[in-house]
Amino acid sequence: NIMKAKKKPLDEKTAADYGVDVTPRLEVVKTEEPAARAAGIIVGSVDELVGKLKEAGAV
């Protein structure tokens, strides 16, 4: 049955056959590169890490 299914012809249909509108609905206004990442900070201890996070307002 698998071999019979391989030989079966397939009908090619378009979106218009089904009444579907495929025109684009979105318009690209502009594109730009993402901002570069800032360099990281290396800390020596957990206390220093917690202090830096508190300064940044993350904790």
Side-chain angles (χ1 to χ4, degrees):
N1 287 333
I2 294 173
M3 297 306 286
K4 288 180 187 177
K6 286 184 180 180
K7 295 178 184 178
K8 187 175 181 178
L10 296 174
D11 296 332
E12 292 185 18
K13 297 194 178 210
T14 62
D17 294 337
Y18 297 107
V20 177
D21 183 24
V22 292
T23 56
R25 291 178 267 175
L26 300 176
E27 179 182 346
V28 177
V29 178
K30 70 176 183 175
T31 58
E32 60 185 35
E33 293 287 328
R37 288 185 57 165
I41 300 171
I42 298 175
V43 294
S45 67
V46 175
D47 294 330
E48 191 178 345
L49 173 63
V50 172
K52 294 277 186 183
L53 289 173
K54 285 183 180 179
E55 286 177 16
V59 176

